[in-house]
Amino acid sequence: MLKRLPGYGLGWAPNRRIIAIAVGLACLLALAAATAFFTGRSNRPHAAPPIPPPTHSSVPPTGQPSSGSGPVAGPPRISDPVEFAKAAAKMLWSYDTRTTSQAQQLAGMEAWMTKESEYGDFTSVSAQIPDPVLWSRMADQKQRASATITEGHYPAAFKQALSEDPAAITKAYIYAVTVTGKQTITWAGGGGGAEDRSITLAVQCRPSADCSLVAIAPRVAP
């Protein structure tokens, strides 16, 4: 009997549409080809890449997310890449099969995506959730999950690549961000557990615009 879905929110999918930023080193996959193909070559510490300052304040005073699609929380109106990535990771690691269908979960996740189709890779994002059959089995067990975020940061290789070519970020304003946290899963009959989670995301944050999700890396960038 299925009690929980191991690794939901952590599993990696092949990134067939190479999109945004290289997060460097031999073990990492490039996320950008169309605009800024960054290649990091060392782990030497560097200052965080410059973030283009927003020309308007787009974050609601309460910090509440915008309306989502169905039961899934919508993306917050945030212009900071790290804060947006932390919110996106929390969304990816949270679900409730008691109230949300698999189709609704996908629609809610898609609302977070960039509207610039040449960069967005929804395949890497949608691969984070199970197929409809497995989702139905999870629903039979009333499985749900919540998440707490510990921290978010720019990977060392991304900072290295950006320090070598600072102007490259202005082509698409796509940032690599690694987020860590904990996912707590519960199901019928009082079952439950918690696991640490880490994920590297590509997010787009153009000046004077809210951030959006671009893709999920197949491996975690330190």
Side-chain angles (χ1 to χ4, degrees):
M1 177 179 295
L2 178 70
K3 291 297 186 183
R4 55 182 293 275
L5 178 65
Y8 169 42
L10 183 63
W12 302 111
N15 195 353
R16 295 184 179 89
R17 299 175 58 203
I18 301 224
I19 322 208
I21 314 165
V23 287
L25 302 177
C27 65
L28 305 179
L29 191 73
L31 290 178
T35 58
F37 186 78
F38 300 149
T39 305
R41 291 187 295 274
S42 79
N43 281 322
R44 297 191 309 271
H46 292 269
I51 306 303
T55 58
H56 71 287
S57 177
S58 62
V59 183
T62 61
Q64 294 299 314
S66 60
S67 58
S69 178
V72 180
R77 304 190 64 184
I78 292 176
S79 57
D80 179 83
V82 173
E83 291 305 312
F84 181 85
K86 288 161 65 176
K90 185 172 183 177
M91 178 273 295
L92 290 168
W93 296 334
S94 303
Y95 61 90
D96 191 338
T97 63
R98 300 170 303 174
T99 59
T100 310
S101 68
Q102 194 256 12
Q104 287 174 320
Q105 190 75 16
L106 283 174
M109 293 163 64
E110 191 165 15
W112 288 66
M113 297 296 295
T114 177
K115 300 303 186 289
E116 298 181 36
S117 59
E118 64 268 38
Y119 305 130
D121 180 18
F122 189 57
T123 298
S124 67
V125 177
S126 62
Q128 301 300 300
I129 73 168
D131 61 43
V133 174
L134 184 52
W135 187 274
S136 177
R137 293 174 60 195
M138 292 163 57
D140 290 342
Q141 295 299 317
K142 297 180 172 55
Q143 185 170 317
R144 61 271 191 197
S146 60
T148 56
I149 302 303
T150 304
E151 64 90 34
H153 66 273
Y154 299 110
F158 173 74
K159 293 189 288 184
Q160 165 70 18
L162 193 57
S163 71
E164 294 174 356
D165 187 5
I169 196 70
T170 64
K171 297 176 182 179
Y173 289 95
I174 295 173
Y175 301 79
V177 182
T178 294
V179 179
T180 59
K182 179 170 290 187
Q183 183 186 49
T184 301
I185 303 173
T186 57
W187 54 86
E195 294 180 294
D196 293 333
R197 292 280 185 252
S198 296
I199 192 170
T200 297
L201 310 96
V203 300
Q204 185 177 48
C205 299
R206 290 191 179 277
S208 303
D210 299 325
C211 295
S212 57
L213 182 60
V214 172
I216 297 174
R219 289 179 290 277
V220 178

